[in-house]
Structure formats: structure tokens, C-alpha cells
Amino acid sequence: MTDIARIPKAELHVHVEGTFEPELIFAIAARNGIALSYPSVEALRAAYNFTDLQSFLNVYYAGMNVLRTQNDYYDLAIAYLKRAASHGVVHAELFFDPQAHTDRGIAFETVIDGLTRALHDARADLGMTAHLIMCFLRDQSAQSAMATLEAALPYRDRIVAVGLDSAELGNPPSKFQTVFDRARAEGFLTVAHAGEEGPPAYVWEALDLLKVSRVDHGVRSMEDPALVERLRRQRIPLTVCPLSNVKLHVVPDLARHPLKRMLDAGLVATINSDDPAYFGGYIDANFTQTIAALNLTQDEIVTLARNSFEASFIDDALKQRYLAQIDDALAVR
Ligand code: ADE
Ligand code: ZN
């Protein structure tokens, strides 16, 4: 069995607020003088039983309510980055949800300054590279997304792309076409959650209307052969999150997860952790449990690692360096 931590990889689908472990929620709540409605870390963790995406989002937004200061955002991000580095993640692209903070009166600057300081320290101390992707909450209005985009413009050089997350059903990509047009005109790359709970039509819209460089989740694309062919032909990556899909009942269990079929169809699929503090595992657990459930071969594991760099938003020279690190890791086994 391959030691997954020894294979260099990129993580491209992780919500920094979804890495907020109960221990850290309690520690930050205490230092900010905030009372939690759960008596203990164990009681909070025991509440992580989700029936669908919305049931998770309710708990997720409640947890991040304790984040108030720049140091809080720093502590959240650095804890994830350290843990990811220990799993062989050499490059990470972190989603953050500014509206979930600015709506509570936290300044955009507080959030982004804390996060960027953590990214800077990860590079200096862990040798990791990382980018930020700003997501719009799709269950809020397009006007709110546009105001968020405008608030982000002074920090343009610290954000590589914009994305779309939160409650998918009833909030199709088309709702945000104007916002994404403006984001691309301002120089941002674009991604979107699509085909998690929503239908293949939402993935088509993400491609055709939002011009996304990759699709987050996208597992329901497998229901539409013409869409699979489009994704394959254009090598549009999909950031797949197996343990998330099980926890949120997108798939019944890992053995029936479509990841292997996606690889068989020639799709550029990657493995990611989504909201690891809530879904029972970081990228290492997502790899090891998926490999076991789907009997993935050594070649498929290497393909997944290579796909993660191909799909990333780093420049070609760095991509080649990371891909060479995979070859080096395999050579010394
Ligand atoms: N926000 C955090 N995790 C998410 C997910 N899996 N889908 C949509 N929005 C999210
Ligand atoms: Zn996600």
C-alpha cells in the first residue's frame, strides 16, 4: 500500500472555514468571550450528522461565527496548512466565503490579512505554495456578490480566482453571469461548485456562462454523456471530494462513488477534502479510503496526483517542478 503522504499533491477544493476543528472553535470562542450552544468539543462533534448540503451549511455558518480578529483567521488557516503539509500537500488553493464574515460586521481586510499572513508563513516555514479563491454565496443575491467583488478589488493581487458555493439547488450559475463577467474582466480566473446536488445543466451553465477553468464537485456530470465528452475533450478538471459526497448523501457510500468511472472516462479528476473538519477526514483519508473502496491502482493514484497539479492555478514552470517531484518520490520507493 502506497504511503499517500509521500506523494506530492495539490489540494484544490478546501473551504478554509470548513477546516475549523471543534477544539479550535472552542479555543477561539473562549478568547473572544463568545458562549457556544454546545457544552463541549465532543458534543459539538457529535452534532455532525448531516442529511444533505443545507443541513451541513447551517452548522458550518454557525461555527465560523466565532471568527472575529485577524489572528483568528490566521490561526484557522495555518492549522490547515500545517496539517496539509504533513499529508504531502505542497500546493493548496483555499476557498474563503467573505460574505459569511462581512455580513457579521467583520471587515474584508481583517479576513484577507489574516489568511494571507498564514499563506506567507506556510511558504516561509513549510515550503508550501498556496492561493486564495474568493467564493460568492449563491443563496445570496447577485447584487451582494457584485458588492463583494468590488470590496475585493483592492486585494486583487492576493486572490487568484472567484468561485461559487453554498446552497446549490435553485441557485444556478446563470444567476451570477454578470458578476463573473466583471470578475474575468478584472483579471480573476473563475471556478464554480456545480453538479454536487444540482443537475448536469448547472455544470453546462458554469462552463458556458461563467467560463470556469474547473468545476468543483461535478460528480453529477456523469449523468450526461454529452457533458462528460465536453469535459474530457476540453480537459476541464473536476475537484472531487469523496468523503464530503458520502457525508452529504450525494452518493450512498464510497464503493459507489463515481470517481473511478470519471478516471475511466478520461476526465481530469482530482481528490480533495472540501470541509475536512466536518466530513471525517483530510486529504490523506480521502485518498486512502477512496483507494480502498474503489480498488484504485498505483497508476490511478499517480494520475490523481498529476491531475492535481495540471488543474492548479500555478504557472507552468512550477507545475513542471511539482510533477518532477512526483517522479522523484516514485523513483525512491
Ligand atoms: N460551502 C462549504 N462546503 C460546501 C459544499 N460542499 N458545497 C457547497 N458549498 C459549500
Ligand atoms: Zn466545496
Side-chain angles (χ1 to χ4, degrees), residues 11-12 30 44 125 135 200 203 240 267 270 285:
E11 176 149 58
L12 306 177
L44 176 55
D125 301 338
C135 284
V203 180
V240 179
L267 298 182
T270 63

Side-chain angles (χ1 to χ4, degrees), residues 13-15 95 165 193 196 216-217 241 244 274-275 279:
H13 185 154
V14 58
H15 302 260
F95 294 131
D165 66 0
H193 284 53
E196 180 186 20
D216 297 314
H217 293 295
C241 307
S244 164
D274 205 3
D275 301 284
F279 297 154

Side-chain angles (χ1 to χ4, degrees), residues 28-40:
I28 290 182
R31 80 184 183 205
N32 289 340
I34 299 165
L36 293 170
S37 49
Y38 294 91
S40 66

Side-chain angles (χ1 to χ4, degrees), residues 13 15 18 53 56-57 60-61 97 138 164-168 193 196 217 244 248 274-275 279:
H13 185 154
H15 302 260
L53 175 57
F56 155 69
L57 291 170
Y60 165 81
Y61 292 124
D97 287 334
R138 68 200 306 157
L164 198 58
D165 66 0
S166 202
E168 186 181 9
H193 284 53
E196 180 186 20
H217 293 295
S244 164
L248 300 187
D274 205 3
D275 301 284
F279 297 154

Side-chain angles (χ1 to χ4, degrees), residues 33-256:
I34 299 165
L36 293 170
S37 49
Y38 294 91
S40 66
V41 163
E42 293 70 33
L44 176 55
R45 198 168 261 127
Y48 294 176
N49 253 314
F50 311 118
T51 50
D52 58 11
L53 175 57
Q54 188 62 58
S55 67
F56 155 69
L57 291 170
N58 297 340
V59 176
Y60 165 81
Y61 292 124
M64 69 180 82
N65 174 50
V66 306
L67 295 166
R68 303 286 163 92
T69 70
Q70 197 205 109
N71 276 343
D72 297 344
Y73 291 94
Y74 175 86
D75 289 348
L76 172 65
I78 202 73
Y80 161 73
L81 291 162
K82 284 181 180 165
R83 199 189 294 230
S86 77
H87 299 154
V89 173
V90 294
H91 175 73
E93 298 185 359
L94 279 68
F95 294 131
F96 71 113
D97 287 334
Q99 288 152 295
H101 311 291
T102 54
D103 287 357
R104 299 181 288 110
I106 313 294
F108 193 100
E109 183 181 23
T110 301
V111 180
I112 197 144
D113 281 353
L115 297 178
T116 17
R117 192 154 56 82
L119 268 53
H120 178 270
D121 285 0
R123 179 185 275 276
D125 301 338
L126 306 168
M128 253 178 111
T129 51
H131 286 321
L132 291 175
I133 299 176
M134 174 175 86
C135 284
F136 304 116
L137 300 183
R138 68 200 306 157
D139 43 3
Q140 295 202 18
S141 67
Q143 290 87 331
S144 172
M146 189 66 94
T148 303
L149 176 60
E150 282 168 359
L153 292 179
Y155 311 99
R156 169 70 202 83
D157 58 339
R158 304 199 216 169
I159 300 169
V160 71
V162 300
L164 198 58
D165 66 0
S166 202
E168 186 181 9
L169 285 170
N171 296 298
S174 51
K175 179 175 164 187
F176 296 93
Q177 185 172 358
T178 308
V179 182
F180 274 61
D181 282 348
R182 172 85 189 276
R184 290 195 318 283
E186 297 287 353
F188 294 96
L189 295 167
T190 61
V191 298
H193 284 53
E196 180 186 20
E197 285 189 341
Y202 285 20
V203 180
W204 284 106
E205 283 192 8
L207 296 171
D208 291 334
L209 305 181
L210 306 187
K211 320 271 188 218
V212 296
S213 301
R214 57 185 194 230
V215 175
D216 297 314
H217 293 295
V219 285
R220 287 198 60 196
S221 304
M222 296 306 283
E223 297 167 23
D224 181 342
L227 178 56
V228 171
E229 177 52 20
R230 163 93 180 268
L231 294 166
R232 186 197 64 77
R233 193 169 27 85
Q234 296 193 337
R235 291 192 74 71
I236 308 278
L238 298 122
T239 62
V240 179
C241 307
L243 290 178
S244 164
N245 294 155
V246 174
K247 268 283 195 186
L248 300 187
H249 302 273
V250 168
V251 300
D253 53 43
L254 269 188
R256 279 175 279 184

